[in-house]
Amino acid sequence: MSIESINYSIQPQKAILLQHPLYQKIQTPEDLLCFLESHVYAVWDFMSLLKALQANLTCTTTPWFATKNPATRYLINEIVLAEESDLAWNGERLSHFEMYLNAMKACDASTFQIESFLENVTSTQNIFVSIKKSDLHPNIKAFLDFTFRVIEEGKPHEIAAAFTFGREDLIPDMFTAILKNFQKNFPATDLNQLVYYFERHIALDADDHGPKALQMVAELCGNDEIKWKEANEIAILALEKRIGLWNAIEEKITLKEVIA
């Protein structure tokens, strides 16, 4: 197998994501807030995938030893730097997750649920217990559970596949267009920080991190057909879990409209 064969095999899932009816459902500021309050979990758990790769592919313990592949080592550390301490809207250094939370607050989205969830994770010291006991939508639970199961398995090529293929790089582009349209129709809603967040992702991923992440998957799988098969399966599952997340958000928006 190869990167090209994985890209071919995930086309059905990518097509569903890119044509998902959720995008048409986001019609009002209230719809957008509903989206943000669920999507934030994907922003948060992305960092755990990245840190799992850093733990596997670089040396984060002492005594220090040089890991096998300097190029992959550089890629992971570069992405960690950008994701964990990027330049925020106001010029300060923040993680992308913190930037997202600030953007949510700026447009009056609630951060109570995600902050309560993270407090529970800290309290239990067991992510799977926290997910199971939360009152999140079942699809959001499944999305998070999948991420941390992949991490727990500890196979670098599978974590890399979830990281590289499971985080659809075309979606930020689509949401930037949606947000700019919102800025025209709802000028009272402060979306500047949110637009900045998505534009940062596009700038970082399109020409630099994306191609390097694909190279990382290829290097980790090498000539091992079993690893390629496992990476392919994880890529498909990751996108299916993202479809489930999108379905959950669409359902929540629809339910909100019915109740209203």
Side-chain angles (χ1 to χ4, degrees):
M1 292 187 71
S2 64
I3 293 297
E4 290 73 20
S5 60
I6 293 180
N7 273 325
Y8 179 79
S9 72
I10 62 176
Q11 284 307 308
Q13 289 77 24
K14 289 180 71 172
I16 292 171
L17 276 171
L18 294 174
Q19 298 165 18
H20 201 284
L22 169 64
Y23 310 119
Q24 299 302 319
K25 280 281 185 181
I26 305 174
Q27 296 292 326
T28 68
E30 291 74 25
D31 297 336
L32 179 62
L33 301 190
C34 189
F35 168 82
L36 297 175
E37 289 162 15
S38 293
H39 178 246
V40 67
Y41 293 91
V43 178
W44 173 69
D45 80 335
F46 169 84
M47 196 65 197
S48 290
L49 281 172
L50 178 56
K51 293 302 251 183
L53 284 171
Q54 188 180 37
N56 275 280
L57 302 176
T58 75
C59 185
T60 58
T61 58
T62 57
W64 177 87
F65 296 96
T67 50
K68 182 178 179 181
N69 192 309
T72 299
R73 185 196 315 156
Y74 176 80
L75 166 67
I76 294 304
N77 286 330
E78 182 185 44
I79 297 176
V80 169
L81 176 65
E83 289 288 337
E84 200 167 32
S85 51
D86 199 8
L87 275 176
W89 166 258
N90 61 359
E92 68 176 320
R93 291 288 178 180
L94 290 174
S95 69
H96 280 203
F97 174 67
E98 291 166 312
M99 287 164 56
Y100 198 89
L101 286 182
N102 286 347
M104 288 176 67
K105 292 170 183 174
C107 61
D108 295 325
S110 173
T111 59
F112 175 79
Q113 190 178 42
I114 178 64
E115 289 171 341
S116 297
F117 175 77
L118 295 185
E119 287 175 7
N120 186 263
V121 173
T122 301
S123 175
T124 64
Q125 292 294 297
N126 188 316
I127 183 62
F128 299 107
V129 170
S130 294
I131 293 169
K132 185 175 181 180
K133 291 188 173 181
S134 74
D135 58 357
L136 295 171
H137 188 286
N139 288 12
I140 300 177
K141 288 185 177 185
F143 181 88
L144 291 170
D145 188 78
F146 169 78
T147 294
F148 288 98
R149 295 290 174 192
V150 171
I151 290 170
E152 187 178 48
E153 284 290 317
K155 295 181 179 180
H157 61 285
E158 291 189 350
I159 301 171
F163 176 87
T164 302
F165 298 102
R167 306 296 167 147
E168 178 51 63
D169 59 358
L170 295 177
I171 287 169
D173 233 343
M174 299 178 69
F175 270 100
T176 301
I178 291 172
L179 291 171
K180 287 181 176 178
N181 185 56
F182 262 72
Q183 284 180 312
K184 293 178 184 177
N185 295 328
F186 304 101
T189 304
D190 183 1
L191 299 177
N192 290 324
Q193 292 188 57
L194 204 57
V195 170
Y196 178 84
Y197 166 84
F198 280 110
E199 287 182 337
R200 283 299 292 165
H201 264 286
I202 294 166
L204 289 170
D205 291 346
D207 299 322
D208 191 21
H209 293 171
K212 287 179 180 176
L214 291 171
Q215 182 182 348
M216 172 180 62
V217 173
E219 289 172 350
L220 289 172
C221 291
N223 296 318
D224 191 325
E225 281 302 312
I226 293 176
K227 287 183 177 180
W228 278 110
K229 184 174 181 291
E230 290 175 339
N232 187 71
E233 290 170 353
I234 288 294
I236 292 171
L237 280 172
L239 290 175
E240 287 178 347
K241 296 302 179 185
R242 175 59 69 100
I243 292 167
L245 175 64
W246 263 208
N247 290 344
I249 301 174
E250 182 193 8
E251 181 183 314
K252 290 175 76 171
I253 292 174
T254 302
L255 182 61
K256 175 182 65 65
E257 292 169 349
V258 170
I259 293 173

